[in-house]
Amino acid sequence: MNRADLEELLRTRILAAEIAPGERINESALAEDLGVSRTPVREALLRLEGGGLVRFDRGRGFLAAELSADEVRETYPIIAHLEEWAVRGTGPALRGLAPKLTEINSAFAAAAEPATAHGFDAEFHRVLVSRCGNTRLLELINGLWRTIRRYEHVYFADAADHRVSVAQHAEIAAAVAAGDGDLAARAVAENTTESMYLLLARL
């Protein structure tokens, strides 16, 4: 496994909460598990520390970074505005997405595990903005969704919050089916903003 692949693997485990926020990362055990020496593991952890996903504690070593209310406040409003912009810019092509959005939301509603729910939630939002025609905008949105992945695991651990999101997605899909891009844009921004407030109440 090369250094880039190792770093990406560790990043994915942290973002997917396989390494929980605040959890100590045992370098030796991790190196043995991955079949590599400790040196590339430490180098990868140092790079992840620079990106804010890992922190070093002199008494405990490397730990996955704790969840941050400030990161939620800074990130979710940006996603809300960018997705609203993407939906408004899609035009008539938006309406054709309605069947797929309804299908995804049905699977989302049936998802029992937080990780599964997050997967369908992310897919719903990805499909919703997919035809905006702005590649750079989509790259920004996708990058920010990756940032919030750890937080979504916390959000979807609560069944009541899951049901709220399902209902909001249904409203978005209905607006898309009706060809009302403005309503769909407002609704997706409200969906993301509401998620932010619910998360902040727990952090």
Side-chain angles (χ1 to χ4, degrees):
M1 181 181 298
N2 63 41
R3 283 170 165 75
D5 289 341
L6 176 58
E7 181 181 350
E8 184 59 25
L9 175 61
L10 293 178
R11 178 182 289 107
T12 298
R13 288 189 177 186
I14 293 169
L15 288 172
E18 292 174 20
I19 302 174
E23 180 181 339
R24 180 177 175 273
I25 300 171
N26 186 318
E27 295 175 58
S28 298
L30 189 57
E32 183 177 352
D33 179 50
L34 298 175
V36 298
S37 69
R38 283 187 60 184
T39 298
V41 169
R42 173 170 282 268
E43 290 174 350
L45 291 171
L46 286 169
R47 288 192 294 273
L48 292 172
E49 182 186 23
L53 280 179
V54 168
R55 70 178 180 85
F56 183 77
D57 183 294
R58 290 191 179 277
R60 300 177 64 196
F62 287 101
L63 300 93
E66 290 85 354
L67 299 180
S68 162
D70 285 341
E71 187 169 37
V72 171
R73 291 190 191 96
E74 291 170 359
T75 308
Y76 277 73
I78 299 173
I79 295 173
H81 286 299
L82 292 181
E83 289 189 334
E84 182 176 8
W85 185 17
V87 172
R88 289 188 191 281
T90 300
L94 182 66
R95 194 167 192 170
L97 298 173
K100 184 63 175 177
L101 292 172
T102 300
E103 176 187 333
I104 295 168
N105 199 39
S106 294
F108 177 45
E113 297 297 324
T116 305
H118 167 70
F120 285 121
D121 183 42
E123 184 182 4
F124 183 93
H125 284 259
R126 180 186 60 76
V127 170
L128 180 64
V129 302
S130 63
R131 295 188 185 174
C132 73
N134 188 327
T135 302
R136 185 59 60 85
L137 177 58
L138 292 177
E139 288 174 353
L140 289 171
I141 292 171
N142 289 337
L144 290 167
W145 263 90
R146 191 175 190 188
T147 297
I148 66 171
R149 187 174 177 185
R150 297 190 306 155
Y151 296 91
E152 295 291 287
H153 281 267
V154 175
Y155 180 85
F156 288 117
D158 189 304
D161 292 348
H162 185 181
R163 289 192 295 271
V164 168
S165 283
V166 170
Q168 290 172 335
H169 284 192
E171 292 174 3
I172 295 167
V176 169
D180 194 335
D182 286 340
L183 178 57
R186 291 196 303 273
V188 72
E190 289 169 3
N191 172 234
T192 301
T193 302
E194 178 70 13
S195 297
M196 176 186 72
Y197 287 126
L198 290 170
L199 269 171
L200 287 174
R202 297 190 207 161
L203 295 178

